[in-house]
Amino acid sequence: DIVMTQSPLSLSVTPGEPASISCRSSQSLLHRNGHNSLDWYLQRPGQSPRVLIYLGSNRASGVPDRFSGSESGTDFTLKISRVEAEDVGVYYCMQVQQPPWTFGQGTKVEIK
Amino acid sequence: EVQLLESGGNLVQPGGSLRLSCAASGFTFSSYAMTWIRQAPGKGLEWVSAIVGTDDRTYYVDSVRGRFTISRDNSKNMLYLQMNSLRAEDTAIYYCSRYCSGGCYSGLDSWGQGTLVTVSS
């Protein structure tokens, strides 16, 4: 199975400041179509997860442009350019390259 | 509006069975692959199973293979998860979600609110 490793596991951010979450996969997630099979999800407290970024760097519908995804080999990064209060929750990366799809451990983001 | 509504979660004894359902509305159900994802209390997300394509190919995480069966009824816009030989470690909130398989993939773009399965004596 592909192992996904996130860091940090928790993050406390001042509103208006940037934040960054890393995710590393144990194998290449590069699909033959040229995209990386890596998504990012946010689970706000008490809510179901929602997709933020799919296939490495594509922002999902309705997601603010302060969220962006980048890729370098087996290293992936989710960046929030300016954190807002509504961004609190747990962020997960997930590989969809091959079943079983696997998630990272999650990164809990809090507001200072 | 796309909606996914899970039901069927309950308290069940170890070794027991349960069938989860997910009612879909607001989209062409047969055109989407569907998946079940679970979250144990206070823990992270775990992908459980998926059903894909016109031939209904199925996939499972190793820990449930042989015990769980995913299926769908496109005429009723329903997704199911038959769970047998339940174990304490299957205790979790179970979410259904959809995705467009193939060149139209845009993530798991809709999720239900989840249904709680508790396995305990």
Side-chain angles (χ1 to χ4, degrees), chain B residues 53-90:
Chain B
T54 54
D55 54 351
D56 284 349
R57 285 164 284 134
T58 58
Y59 303 91
Y60 300 93
V61 67
D62 282 350
S63 60
V64 309
R65 186 175 292 111
R67 300 188 298 123
F68 291 10
T69 302
I70 189 172
S71 63
R72 65 191 299 163
D73 185 336
N74 290 337
S75 68
K76 296 181 179 178
N77 291 349
M78 295 292 294
L79 174 72
Y80 304 103
L81 186 67
Q82 178 66 44
M83 309 165 67
N84 298 330
S85 303
L86 282 161
R87 307 167 179 168
E89 54 264 35
D90 297 318

Side-chain angles (χ1 to χ4, degrees), chain A residues 1 33 39 41 43 47-51 53-55 60 92 94 96 99-105, chain B residues 35 37 39 43-47 50 59-62 95 99 105-109 111-114:
Chain A
D1 298 357
N33 63 14
D39 300 340
Y41 294 84
Q43 186 174 32
Q47 295 187 15
S48 302
R50 65 171 290 201
V51 61
I53 303 289
Y54 63 93
L55 299 180
Y92 296 91
M94 181 180 78
V96 295
W101 292 356
T102 45
F103 289 90
Q105 313 96 303
Chain B
T35 185
I37 288 167
Q39 186 169 37
K43 302 297 184 181
L45 300 171
E46 180 184 33
W47 176 87
Y59 303 91
Y60 300 93
V61 67
D62 282 350
Y95 298 99
Y99 65 97
Y105 184 79
S106 60
L108 303 181
D109 63 2
W111 296 61
Q113 86 293 342

Side-chain angles (χ1 to χ4, degrees), chain A residues 31-33 35 37 54-55 96 101, chain B residues 31-33 51-53 57 99-107:
Chain A
H31 194 271
R32 58 179 180 271
N33 63 14
H35 294 288
S37 302
Y54 63 93
L55 299 180
V96 295
W101 292 356
Chain B
S31 296
Y32 283 80
I51 186 164
V52 185
R57 285 164 284 134
Y99 65 97
C100 189
S101 65
C104 53
Y105 184 79
S106 60

